[in-house]
């Protein structure tokens, strides 16, 4: 089958990573999958022309609003994968909510990563109740065997013996929905009490304006460091070496960084939001917090 897969492919976002994984699975199953960014086919006429020119038989969209609305009215069967911000944020805007409801009327099926996402969608759009299915994300971790932890620490500006350090990694793109500054002051206070504790933020500069704010804050905050994005294999190796992985997002569908940390058997501290609660069971598979001062992590 030849199918169109529409997604927001902004580099290093969760949706972009998910889209690549879905594409690989579809192609492994024998389908021809044409993955396109929603910004590349931004109008109904462009999509109609593309569907005809490529002789496409079906379509799939990742993100109910950004992708799904572009597939309406073309007479081609399509499915939807909820992204996270569609259910956590766009759902609260009346106009977008109505558009997403119409998309679900036309869609053949919709996929949610968690039961809570499914329940949220069913409450908003009861007419789609029978077409929403749960399929959790799968991940693969491939730590770079040649990765040098001491070099990583040096690049982070941490010049202490690795044996005595407790490094907490926050892996995220620098944008407001990830809220990377949420824990900064709390970790700085902790660092001043225990100088071997550091928070290291690793991720791409997605939002230029917000990135400047993050850089300025980190620069004047003891015990907190900021690093640019890393190759995936190096990032997995860094995760494996750190003391714990953090997630401070305001909104998540299903955090790949949390799943990767769990696969690497690294402790997880995650903000108490629906997307994280669906993955992290407090004091069983990680720690959840609702306030920067709440986590109490034994360092012994």
């Amino acid at each position: 089958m030849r199918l169109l897969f529409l997604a927001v492919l902004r580099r290093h976002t969760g949706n972009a990573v998910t889209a690549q994984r879905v594409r690989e699975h579809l192609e492994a199953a024998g389908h021809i999958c044409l993955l396109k960014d929603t910004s590349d086919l931004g109008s109904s006429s462009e999509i109609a022309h593309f569907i005809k020119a490529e002789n496409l038989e079906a379509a799939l969209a990742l993100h109910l609003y950004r992708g799904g609305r572009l597939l309406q009215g073309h007479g081609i069967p399509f499915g939807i994968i909820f992204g996270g911000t569609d259910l956590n944020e766009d759902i609260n805007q009346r106009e977008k909510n109505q558009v997403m409801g119409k998309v679900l009327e036309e869609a053949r099926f919709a996929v949610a990563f968690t039961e809570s996402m499914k329940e949220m969608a069913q409450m908003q759009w009861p007419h789609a109740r029978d077409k929403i299915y749960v399929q959790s994300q799968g991940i693969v971790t491939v730590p770079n065997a040649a990765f040098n932890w001491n070099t990583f620490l040096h690049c982070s500006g941490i010049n202490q013996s690795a044996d005595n350090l407790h490094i907490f990694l926050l892996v995220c793109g620098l944008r407001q929905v990830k809220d990377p500054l949420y824990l900064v002051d709390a970790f700085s206070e902790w660092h001043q009490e225990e100088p071997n504790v550091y928070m290291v933020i690793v991720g791409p500069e997605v939002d230029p304006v917000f990135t400047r704010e993050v850089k300025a804050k980190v620069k004047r905050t003891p015990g907190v460091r900021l690093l640019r994005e890393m190759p995936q294999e190096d990032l997995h190796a860094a995760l494996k070496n750190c003391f714990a992985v953090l997630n401070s997002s305001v909104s998540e569908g299903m955090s790949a960084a949390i799943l990767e940390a769990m696969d690497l058997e690294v402790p997880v501290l995650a903000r108490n939001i629906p997307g994280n609660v669906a993955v992290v069971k407090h004091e069983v598979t990680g720690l959840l917090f609702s306030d920067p001062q709440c986590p109490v992590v034994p360092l012994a």
Side-chain angles (χ1 to χ4, degrees), residues 43-45 47-48 51 69-76 106:
S43 70
S44 180
S45 60
I47 290 178
I51 289 172
R69 65 190 174 91
L70 298 176
L71 295 177
Q72 290 180 279
H74 295 296
I76 188 171
E106 192 172 336

Side-chain angles (χ1 to χ4, degrees), residues 147-163 165 241:
F147 180 79
N148 190 304
W149 180 240
N150 287 316
T151 300
F152 173 85
L153 295 175
H154 179 73
C155 291
S156 303
I158 300 173
N159 299 307
Q160 294 176 233
S161 171
D163 295 336
L165 289 174
N241 279 275

Side-chain angles (χ1 to χ4, degrees), residues 19-240:
Q20 291 293 346
R21 289 179 179 146
V22 173
R23 178 188 188 181
E24 290 170 4
H25 283 289
L26 289 170
E27 292 180 340
H31 301 293
I32 297 173
C33 180
L34 304 183
L35 178 59
K36 303 294 288 186
D37 195 321
T38 54
S39 62
D40 290 339
L41 297 172
S43 70
S44 180
S45 60
E46 287 178 309
I47 290 178
H49 176 76
F50 188 77
I51 289 172
K52 183 177 180 180
E54 296 292 339
N55 194 28
L56 299 173
E57 303 167 76
L60 183 64
L62 175 56
H63 200 285
L64 181 56
Y65 181 76
R66 294 176 185 171
R69 65 190 174 91
L70 298 176
L71 295 177
Q72 290 180 279
H74 295 296
I76 188 171
F78 68 87
I80 296 294
I81 302 173
F82 295 116
T85 54
D86 43 12
L87 292 181
N88 294 326
E89 297 181 19
D90 294 340
I91 205 171
N92 297 316
Q93 299 180 39
R94 183 178 178 182
E95 183 177 339
K96 289 184 177 181
N97 189 311
Q98 292 175 343
V99 169
M100 293 190 291
K102 293 293 185 181
V103 173
L104 283 176
E105 286 181 7
E106 192 172 336
R108 297 291 183 89
F109 65 88
V111 176
F113 294 142
T114 66
E115 286 290 345
S116 62
M117 291 175 71
K118 176 183 177 181
E119 292 169 4
M120 189 183 304
Q122 289 177 331
M123 287 180 62
Q124 285 292 321
W125 306 291
H127 64 272
R129 178 174 298 274
D130 295 332
K131 63 172 68 173
I132 302 175
Y133 303 89
V134 175
Q135 177 61 61
S136 298
Q137 289 194 85
I139 55 95
V140 176
T141 54
V142 284
N144 180 2
F147 180 79
N148 190 304
W149 180 240
N150 287 316
T151 300
F152 173 85
L153 295 175
H154 179 73
C155 291
S156 303
I158 300 173
N159 299 307
Q160 294 176 233
S161 171
D163 295 336
N164 299 318
L165 289 174
H166 295 97
I167 305 297
F168 292 77
L169 282 187
L170 174 61
V171 180
C172 68
L174 300 186
R175 51 193 180 120
Q176 291 186 339
V177 71
K178 297 299 182 180
D179 206 2
L181 298 179
Y182 185 69
L183 297 173
V184 162
D185 289 335
F187 268 93
S188 184
E189 291 172 12
W190 193 1
H191 170 78
Q192 291 174 70
E193 294 174 4
E194 300 189 57
N196 60 340
V197 172
Y198 284 87
M199 174 184 176
V200 179
I201 304 169
V202 181
E205 300 177 358
V206 179
D207 180 335
V209 175
F210 185 62
T211 293
R212 288 196 292 271
E213 180 183 340
V214 173
K215 286 182 175 180
K217 176 69 173 180
V218 170
K219 187 175 181 179
R220 63 178 184 266
T221 306
V224 180
R225 300 290 189 268
L226 177 63
L227 286 180
R228 286 179 173 270
E229 63 198 273
M230 302 167 59
Q232 189 176 56
E233 293 186 359
D234 287 350
L235 181 59
H236 289 165
L239 291 175
K240 192 173 182 179

